[in-house]
Amino acid sequence: MAGGKIRKEKPKAPSNNYQGGISFHKSKGQHILKNPLLVDSIVQKAGIKSTDVILEIGPGTGNLTKKLLEAGKEVIAVELDSRMVLELQRRFQGTPLSHRLKVIQGDVLKTELPRFDICVANIPYQISSPLTFKLLFHPTSFRCAVIMYQREFAMRLVAQPGDNLYCRLSVNTQLYARVSHLLKVGKNNFRPPPKVDSSVVRIEPRKPQPQVNKKEWDGFLRVCFIRKNKTLGAIFKQKSVISMLEKNFKTLQAVLASLNGGSTGEAATAAMDVGDMSMGMEDDDNEMDDDDEDMDMEEGQGGGGGEFKEKVMNVLKEGGFEEKRSSKLSQQEFLYLLSLFNKSGIHFS
């Protein structure tokens, strides 16, 4: 243009969201480990044996997969993205490691997992909770899982009574497994980098598994952690809680009557199977913090169910739990309180 300057466009810097021509989608939780020293550290801390069958979830382009194949007997990799599956197969095709790699394409939450000895994975963070419990309830036992989580989720897993992040997820997970924090991982160790830091956690399933009804246990914890810093007395006085427990109580009584002399244990089991609440383990987002918009804990406390309400409060008083808070209770205290409720015919599923 006359009288004007020609602006030279600067060449665009190559995107950090590619590897080997493959673009990564943050929306799908695709953050590939790019630091080889970190990969080595994860494999070393996993304690892999040469005879181990290793389950890897979300292998991506295979940076971690390669080290797992070198350390164990076989790697079973579950990957949803067909592009990653092809890249993984291409990477190891014709190498001595190829015959020890089995790739399953599909959603890991919907896939029937095979037998394995150890799980090592850098997972999409949006499936953290359901995947953790899918592994813990896997029908065949495994030694441990070493998993990369979003840091805050990881710290919830390992939190102890009195910790700020201690929550229903902490209690649920630690009932079924020993959980320990291994590594803090900065966001720049990934391509593309996530918005938050991460942590590697070791999960070792308890053997034998605790003999508790999973729905009953989880339903009980959901009530206790409605507001973890409120007293249990205040929580269990709520009209919605009393109403739910009374409904379950009446269901149990009806089943007892219909069995005509069947054992109380059989009736309780049957009642739990037809309980009115669905208590899945997969969601921890509904737990409320005291920093949230305040909720009137006294709402409905003067409502109906007076006799049954007194029955519930007597259980809390018997165990000395009326003035205690879930944020400070140990796993053993939760188990004891649940046993007191069940002994009185009060159930949570």
Side-chain angles (χ1 to χ4, degrees):
M1 183 176 177
K5 292 183 179 179
I6 298 175
R7 180 180 293 176
K8 292 183 179 180
E9 291 191 8
K10 295 180 180 179
K12 292 183 179 179
S15 171
N16 197 36
N17 295 1
Y18 288 81
Q19 178 175 313
I22 295 179
S23 61
F24 303 127
H25 303 303
K26 289 185 178 182
S27 61
K28 295 180 181 178
Q30 292 178 343
H31 300 281
I32 307 301
L33 275 172
K34 67 176 185 179
N35 183 342
L37 294 178
L38 177 60
V39 171
D40 288 341
S41 182
I42 291 171
V43 173
Q44 184 267 324
K45 288 181 179 295
I48 299 170
K49 300 176 183 178
S50 60
T51 55
D52 279 343
V53 174
I54 307 162
L55 174 69
E56 185 184 11
I57 298 159
T61 56
N63 294 346
L64 177 58
T65 313
K66 182 175 183 295
K67 294 295 182 179
L68 296 177
L69 284 166
E70 292 170 352
K73 176 184 177 182
E74 180 186 6
V75 172
I76 301 169
V78 183
E79 174 59 63
L80 179 61
D81 192 331
S82 59
R83 300 171 309 144
M84 300 296 178
V85 171
L86 287 173
E87 175 62 22
L88 205 60
Q89 292 170 336
R90 189 181 299 119
R91 179 169 184 171
F92 296 103
Q93 188 176 18
T95 71
L97 300 174
S98 62
H99 71 283
R100 294 197 277 119
L101 173 64
K102 177 182 179 182
V103 182
I104 299 174
Q105 183 179 348
D107 182 342
V108 68
L109 299 179
K110 299 175 182 177
T111 301
E112 185 176 343
L113 298 177
R115 191 200 70 79
F116 61 94
D117 299 301
I118 185 171
C119 174
V120 184
N122 171 31
I123 65 172
Y125 293 156
Q126 58 264 41
I127 66 169
S128 295
S129 190
L131 176 62
T132 299
F133 287 103
K134 181 181 177 76
L135 291 174
L136 287 176
F137 300 148
H138 188 56
T140 59
S141 64
F142 59 96
R143 191 165 70 255
C144 75
V146 175
I147 300 178
M148 182 86 70
Y149 291 110
Q150 180 178 329
R151 179 160 174 79
E152 183 172 328
F153 185 90
M155 299 319 291
R156 287 178 182 270
L157 286 177
V158 302
Q160 297 298 306
D163 291 350
N164 187 47
L165 291 176
Y166 187 64
C167 61
R168 180 168 56 89
L169 176 68
S170 318
V171 183
N172 253 338
T173 308
Q174 292 171 34
L175 176 69
Y176 299 105
R178 286 179 290 275
V179 189
S180 55
H181 183 271
L182 296 181
L183 287 170
K184 181 178 178 180
V185 181
K187 60 187 79 172
N188 291 328
N189 289 287
F190 300 89
R191 180 187 294 116
K195 293 180 179 179
V196 295
D197 287 336
S198 305
S199 280
V200 179
V201 171
R202 183 183 181 90
I203 299 174
E204 298 178 58
R206 296 190 186 277
K207 297 175 184 177
Q209 283 283 293
Q211 297 302 303
V212 296
N213 180 288
K214 293 180 178 67
K215 284 189 176 181
E216 179 74 359
W217 169 249
D218 190 55
F220 166 67
L221 290 183
R222 282 177 184 265
V223 173
C224 291
F225 279 96
I226 287 174
R227 296 293 291 268
K228 68 180 183 181
N229 289 318
K230 295 292 184 182
T231 65
L232 290 172
I235 290 172
F236 278 89
K237 283 177 184 173
Q238 290 182 86
K239 185 176 180 181
S240 58
V241 173
I242 293 294
S243 176
M244 179 272 289
L245 293 178
E246 188 170 18
K247 187 174 181 181
N248 287 351
F249 181 78
K250 289 178 178 177
T251 300
L252 173 58
Q253 298 307 307
V255 172
L256 278 167
S258 69
L259 287 178
N260 291 324
S263 72
T264 304
E266 289 172 351
T269 301
M272 281 185 239
D273 288 341
V274 297
D276 70 309
M277 294 188 73
S278 176
M279 298 294 187
M281 294 278 195
E282 69 284 352
D283 179 20
D284 196 56
D285 295 334
N286 293 327
E287 183 179 313
M288 299 178 68
D289 294 322
D290 289 333
D291 292 335
D292 294 338
E293 185 177 348
D294 195 25
M295 175 180 69
D296 184 3
M297 295 298 293
E298 302 298 322
E299 181 184 352
Q301 288 187 12
E307 221 175 279
F308 184 78
K309 180 177 173 182
E310 186 177 347
K311 182 181 180 71
V312 171
M313 297 313 295
N314 283 340
V315 171
L316 292 174
K317 289 174 184 175
E318 177 189 345
F321 287 98
E322 193 175 14
E323 296 301 318
K324 291 188 176 181
R325 292 165 168 77
S326 294
S327 60
K328 301 289 199 302
L329 289 188
S330 69
Q331 189 182 102
Q332 291 306 313
E333 288 175 303
F334 280 119
L335 287 167
Y336 176 54
L337 178 55
L338 178 58
S339 72
L340 292 179
F341 275 120
N342 289 171
K343 185 179 175 182
S344 298
I346 298 171
H347 292 273
F348 294 80
S349 65

